[in-house]
Amino acid sequence: MSKFADDHMRLLKLIEESFQICKIALQTEVKDISFDSGNFDFYFFRNDEKIAVMPNGMDSFILKRKTNLIEDEIVIKAATQDYSQKFRKYDLLYYVSEGFGIKKFIDRNTDMTDDQIKKFFSLSEKLLDYLGHNTEALLMDMNPRCLHASTCADTLEEFLFPLIVKLKGNEQAAKELAQIIEHCNRLEADDPDKLNYILDELGTLVNKHKIH
């Protein structure tokens, strides 16, 4: 099987799993909701409202919402390099709940901007790859809608000492990283500027020295 087809089948399985999560969660919260599915299509009905997920060619699925609150289409790509945009197993529950106005599962709770979230995932991916960790498992376990700046700053800070050890053969990079560590140590854990400092300075160092 080609990588193209493999990505498509992986997304299909993830959507199937997400559909079952939705059925279990929503049946306990909403009495007038029903579900249906075909080989590759998944449907949610509530009175005359409808949400559907179906293939959109071989490289993506499309989520169509036509409810009293929302009428839109969201493209879910089978393969994307941006971890902040990758489809996660609880995303469908969020989109369906948002469409039907079920507040319990609309879990956007972050104090970060979209740009910060994108930079955080991009930088984390490079560092995890360089340090030899399971990048996919770790980053897919993080929900972009529930990230907090202080937690993300702490997460990135945890990479600094393993990173400086691995950079021992690159004296200049290690020296620059030591300066970043020293500055981070002077910042309070809940300093609102800490995340931006790490994203900017560590991001520059990673790109400059091709650490990935």
Side-chain angles (χ1 to χ4, degrees), residues 130 163-175 209:
Y130 184 72
L163 181 59
I164 203 168
V165 170
K166 191 157 185 178
L167 287 173
K168 60 184 179 181
N170 187 334
E171 184 177 345
Q172 182 58 36
K175 181 179 178 181
H209 295 283

Side-chain angles (χ1 to χ4, degrees), residues 29-48:
E29 293 294 320
V30 187
K31 293 182 179 180
D32 56 351
I33 192 169
S34 59
F35 312 87
D36 194 12
S37 62
N39 289 332
F40 301 101
D41 302 330
F42 306 89
Y43 301 95
F44 304 84
F45 303 96
R46 188 179 186 186
N47 301 321
D48 59 346

